[in-house]
Amino acid sequence: MDITRSSPAPARVVAVPPEPEPADLTALPEPTTVEPLQPLQPLPSAPAPATVSVSVTVTATDVRGRRRRNRPRHLLALLRPGQWVKNLAVVPLALLDTHPWGTAAFLRTGWAVLGFTLASALVYVVNDLADRERDRLHPVKRHRPIASGQVSTVAAIVLTGVLALTLTGWAVAGPAWQWWPTALYLALSLAYSQGLKHVPLVDAFIVATGFVLRLVQGALLIGAQLSEWLALCVFSLCLMLSLGKRRHEMTAAGRAHRPALRGYTLAFLDHLVVLVAVLTAVSYVLYLRDDAALAADASLVTLLSAPCAVFGLARYLQLLLVEEGGGNPVHVLFRDRATLVNAALWAVLVALALLLPHASA
């Protein structure tokens, strides 16, 4: 036996894990128990601020009382007292042709101012009644008493009747048959309200004619001879203001609220305004030279007043064409500082020219 030969290595035994038994698919799973959810605890919140409730009770009686208290103010606004200054500025111009002045002349001038103030207020109410629907489309005119509903239509009609009766009493109490300029003004204004205000150019000419009738009424009551140059100067000046107002309306609100504006363009109105301004300046100078009741030695004062008149016209054109103003000529002319200073200087010069004859006598 060969002891040098090695014996064979013993065989290695590897353990194989047993195969798992197949799952029983027919067996139902055991039910599992689920712990119930605990309700969430609310988070601590800051204390809510204290609220104070105020109850306001507005009754229909309070509303009616408030309207009743405001009614006189709205009725006065319907008469447009801010426009009455037109009568104070135009009617007394007839005194320029009166020499010498007297108490009777001033009293008759005041009577003429009163008549035209009543007539113009009546026209304003009638126009606002006729234009109430159209005024509601305008950015400024929609705040007028009738258009905004502050004054009812019935109240406006009653006010119209009161003004008509008062104006009739004025005509009866005054000198016989010397109220025809006021009557003609009312007739033109009625025709204006009924349709002539929709005709381009005619609308502006009727407004300017109304101011000439104011001048005629003042001259008729004080017994003065009216100068043709002065009447032309007033007509052209008021025509310029009327055209300027229409130009401002076109730039501010377009043409929808006033049918007559469809017959204008901005360029056309610009030419017309300048043309009428030149006519105003020329007629004023001719009035001073030919018809004004001034002293012979007042030529220097008269010469100095002409530049004031031209400056006033130029300033208005500047406000209208450069600064886009002119919507309300009364506000433009009586709130502009340069215009006020120039008008005061002009009034002083004219007063000196009128008073010099008395001083020399």
Side-chain angles (χ1 to χ4, degrees):
M1 170 176 207
D2 188 358
I3 60 174
T4 59
R5 295 182 63 179
S6 58
S7 59
R12 180 178 300 176
V13 178
V14 179
V16 179
E19 294 182 1
E21 296 180 359
D24 189 1
L25 299 179
T26 62
L28 296 176
E30 296 181 0
T32 58
T33 60
V34 180
E35 295 292 335
L37 296 177
Q38 298 295 329
L40 296 177
Q41 299 295 328
L43 296 177
S45 58
T51 58
V52 179
S53 60
V54 179
S55 61
V56 179
T57 304
V58 180
T59 63
T61 305
D62 296 335
V63 175
R64 286 195 297 267
R66 194 173 305 168
R67 289 180 179 177
R68 196 175 293 111
R69 288 192 298 269
N70 293 334
R71 185 174 297 174
R73 180 169 59 89
H74 295 152
L75 290 176
L76 181 62
L78 184 60
L79 302 180
R80 302 185 198 177
Q83 303 293 329
W84 296 351
V85 69
K86 298 175 181 178
N87 304 318
L88 295 174
V90 178
V91 176
L93 286 180
L95 292 172
L96 296 177
D97 293 331
T98 304
H99 180 73
W101 291 343
T103 305
F106 285 104
L107 291 177
R108 289 176 176 269
T109 301
W111 187 256
V113 170
L114 175 61
F116 253 96
T117 300
L118 293 172
S120 59
L122 177 61
V123 170
Y124 292 144
V125 177
V126 173
N127 284 339
D128 285 356
L129 277 171
D131 295 343
R132 60 185 182 276
E133 298 297 336
R134 190 175 292 107
D135 288 344
R136 293 190 177 101
L137 304 176
H138 194 273
V140 177
K141 295 180 180 180
R142 61 187 178 90
H143 299 293
R144 288 178 175 177
I146 299 179
S148 61
Q150 296 171 342
V151 175
S152 64
T153 304
V154 176
I157 293 175
V158 172
L159 181 60
T160 301
V162 172
L163 289 173
L165 291 176
T166 306
L167 186 59
T168 303
W170 170 86
V172 173
W177 296 106
Q178 292 189 358
W179 43 261
W180 66 263
T182 304
L184 182 57
Y185 168 79
L186 288 175
L188 284 176
S189 300
L190 181 60
Y192 178 87
S193 300
Q194 294 301 316
L196 290 182
K197 63 183 176 182
H198 302 317
V199 182
L201 290 180
V202 175
D203 61 333
F205 274 73
I206 289 180
V207 173
T209 304
F211 287 94
V212 177
L213 291 174
R214 288 173 168 87
L215 179 62
V216 173
Q217 182 67 82
L220 188 63
L221 286 179
I222 64 177
Q225 185 178 359
L226 183 62
S227 168
E228 292 83 359
W229 290 122
L230 180 60
L232 179 60
C233 180
V234 170
F235 175 80
S236 57
L237 174 63
C238 296
L239 181 60
M240 180 189 70
L241 298 177
S242 180
L243 292 173
K245 182 178 180 180
R246 278 146 182 78
R247 185 191 187 279
H248 181 268
E249 289 179 349
M250 286 189 63
T251 58
R255 304 179 180 181
H257 70 285
R258 187 189 288 267
L261 294 179
R262 298 169 185 169
Y264 298 106
T265 63
L266 290 179
F268 179 54
L269 286 173
D270 291 344
H271 285 86
L272 282 180
V273 168
V274 174
L275 173 64
V276 177
V278 173
L279 179 60
T280 303
V282 171
S283 58
Y284 174 74
V285 173
L286 292 176
Y287 165 73
L288 292 179
R289 190 191 69 174
D290 298 339
D291 298 336
L294 305 176
D297 52 353
S299 58
L300 179 59
V301 178
T302 304
L303 181 63
L304 293 177
S305 70
C308 292
V310 176
F311 177 83
L313 296 172
R315 177 57 179 166
Y316 175 75
L317 292 178
Q318 183 183 32
L319 293 173
L320 177 67
L321 303 178
V322 179
E323 300 184 13
E324 298 295 336
N328 191 331
V330 175
H331 291 174
V332 170
L333 296 177
F334 291 92
R335 292 184 180 181
D336 180 62
R337 188 172 301 175
T339 302
L340 289 175
V341 173
N342 178 72
L345 180 59
W346 174 84
V348 170
L349 292 173
V350 173
L352 288 175
L354 292 172
L355 293 176
L356 275 178
H358 301 278
S360 61

